[in-house]
Amino acid sequence: MRGAVLVIASGLASTIPAPVERACESAQAALRERDRMIAELVGKGYVLEEFGAAQVPAAKRRAPKLGELAHHAELEAQLEAAPDDPNAWLVFEDWLLDARDPRAAIIEHERSGDVTAAAQARGAINKLLLGGRGSTFDATVSRAEWRAGFLRACVVDATGARGRHRLAELVATPAARFLTELELELSDFAVLRELAPAKLLGTLRVRHETVTAREQLVLDAKVLEPLGRLAALDVRRLSRLEPAPCLGRLRSLVLEYDHEADLDQLGAHELTKLESLHVQLVNDERVVLTHSLAPAMPALRELRFTAWWPNNARHLVEQAIASGLLEQLDRFAVVANADAHVLTAADRDRVFGGAFANVPHVQLPKSLVE
C-alpha cells in the first residue's frame, strides 16, 4: 500500500515482476482490498511470509495432531475484525478443510445443508469445542446457531447457584470465540461480569428471573464496559439502570421496567450513537422524561413505549412531548395492552395540538386518536 494506492506484483520467485498500481477510494479501502486478496491467496494454499522474518526450521514444523484444533493467526484475526463477513468465513473454512482440521466434517455437512449430520459431527468433537465439561452445557445452552464449530448466537441459562460458573466456563471455550449474539437468563446482574472475555458480542439480551414481585433490580452498566463492540442491549425486568460510558456505544436499547422509569438517568452519559429506544412497563408505572435527554441522544430516531395498562398511555405521550425528543424522531409509538393505531397525516396534524405533525410514523392507542 502507498496511501490509497494498492501496489500489486506477481510472478515466480526467481523473477522480478513489474508492479501494477490500483487506485482505491481511500487508504482504508486499499487496506481492505489488500487484506481480502491476501485472505483469498491463503485460502488457496499460499503461505503468508513477512519480509525479513526468520524461517522456522523444517524439523520444528508439524501438522496438528489428531484431535487438535488448527489455528491460523492471520485468518482468525480477520474474523475477529469482521465476524459477520461471509467472505472471511469462507476463506477460513476453506483453510480448515485443506488442513483437515477436526472441524472439516462439520463444514462439509453445513455446506451440503445436512443440519443433522453437522450436529453429529460437532458431537463427535464436543470435548475439543467445549472442553472436558462440554456435555454439561447441554442443559445450559439452547437455540444455538453454529458455524464451522463456532457458536455465533445462543441462549444461556445462567440462573441458579452454579449459573455464573457455567457462563464463565462457556465463554472461555474455543467454540465461543466468535460469539456475537447472546440471550442470557440470570438471577443476579453480577453474572454479567463473566462476559468480559466475549469481546465480539454485539447483541446482548438479558432476562432477569425475578424472585419477588417488587424486588429492586439495579443494573450498573459498568459491568458491560469490557464489551467494546456491544451495539444492541435488551434488559427485561429492571428497576433502575445506572449509566456508564459503554452505553454511549449503543445503537439500540430496550428496557423493561417494573418500577417508575426515570429515563433522565440515561442522560448522565451522552448516548450519541443511540438510534432506537424501547421502554416497556410491566405494571402501571410512570416514566420521567425531561429536556436533558434530547441533547444526550442526538441520533435517536425511534422512541417506543409498551404499557400493559391503557390508562398510562396519555401520560407517556405527554412526557414524550415535554421532553423535546419528537423534533428529531422518524418513528414514535405508544402501545397499551396491544392497542395501537397508525396515525394518518390528518391525525398527526390534529391530535395533541399537532405535536406529531412532523413525525413521519406514529402509533397511538385508538382512545387517544378518536
Side-chain angles (χ1 to χ4, degrees), residues 15-315:
T15 66
I16 303 178
V20 176
E21 295 186 354
R22 182 191 302 175
C24 300
E25 294 181 357
S26 64
Q28 289 183 338
L31 178 62
R32 288 194 298 269
E33 178 63 10
R34 185 200 66 178
D35 289 347
R36 186 197 66 77
M37 294 178 68
I38 291 176
E40 183 178 335
L41 290 170
V42 171
K44 293 179 179 178
Y46 288 91
V47 177
L48 178 65
E49 296 181 354
E50 296 182 3
F51 291 107
Q55 297 296 311
V56 179
K60 293 186 178 181
R61 300 174 191 161
R62 62 182 179 88
K65 294 179 181 178
L66 183 63
E68 181 180 280
L69 299 179
H71 293 282
H72 194 298
E74 289 82 8
L75 296 183
E76 290 170 13
Q78 289 182 14
L79 269 180
E80 287 181 351
D84 296 322
D85 182 356
N87 292 326
W89 275 102
L90 287 173
V91 171
F92 183 48
E93 288 169 347
D94 286 344
W95 181 82
L96 291 175
L97 289 171
D98 290 340
R100 295 313 302 168
D101 179 86
R103 291 163 291 196
I106 300 173
I107 297 169
E108 290 170 347
H109 292 311
E110 287 178 343
R111 290 187 174 183
S112 69
D114 194 335
V115 177
T116 301
Q120 292 174 341
R122 286 196 303 271
I125 59 170
N126 196 45
K127 288 186 177 180
L128 289 176
L129 301 177
L130 294 168
R133 296 174 57 83
S135 59
T136 65
F137 296 128
D138 292 342
T140 302
V141 179
S142 61
R143 301 210 306 267
E145 296 180 15
W146 292 85
R147 178 157 188 173
F150 293 96
L151 271 171
R152 301 304 326 284
C154 65
V155 177
V156 176
D157 183 354
T159 59
R162 293 186 54 80
R164 182 169 186 167
H165 184 64
R166 290 195 300 267
L167 179 62
E169 287 184 330
L170 177 65
V171 297
T173 63
R177 180 171 181 180
F178 300 115
L179 183 65
T180 58
E181 186 173 340
L182 175 65
E183 182 173 327
L184 192 58
E185 300 171 359
L186 46 75
S187 51
D188 185 353
F189 283 130
V191 171
L192 294 172
R193 297 185 185 278
E194 306 303 332
L195 292 178
K199 302 294 185 182
L200 302 185
L201 266 185
T203 299
L204 175 62
R205 290 182 288 274
V206 180
R207 304 289 184 272
H208 195 287
E209 181 188 56
T210 308
V211 179
T212 60
R214 303 296 289 179
E215 180 184 6
Q216 284 284 331
L217 305 176
V218 180
L219 170 59
D220 188 344
K222 290 179 182 178
V223 299
L224 303 175
E225 284 294 342
L227 306 179
R229 298 195 186 182
L230 189 64
L233 176 64
D234 183 332
V235 184
R236 303 299 170 96
R237 285 290 182 177
L238 182 72
S239 302
R240 189 171 73 255
L241 176 66
E242 295 291 350
C246 64
L247 298 184
R249 300 192 290 266
L250 297 179
R251 296 186 181 277
S252 173
L253 179 60
V254 179
L255 300 173
E256 182 183 83
Y257 287 94
D258 62 353
H259 286 67
E260 180 176 284
D262 185 358
L263 298 185
D264 281 354
Q265 287 185 318
L266 298 179
H269 288 286
E270 294 186 353
L271 309 183
T272 56
K273 295 184 179 181
L274 193 66
E275 299 172 356
S276 175
L277 175 62
H278 185 183
V279 178
Q280 301 187 32
L281 304 174
V282 176
N283 301 304
D284 188 13
E285 306 296 349
R286 294 291 181 175
V287 171
V288 177
L289 290 170
T290 67
H291 278 81
S292 67
L293 277 184
M297 303 179 181
L300 191 69
R301 297 296 178 265
E302 180 179 11
L303 178 61
R304 183 180 183 88
F305 293 100
T306 300
W308 298 111
W309 297 85
N311 61 340
N312 207 12
R314 180 173 293 275
H315 162 75

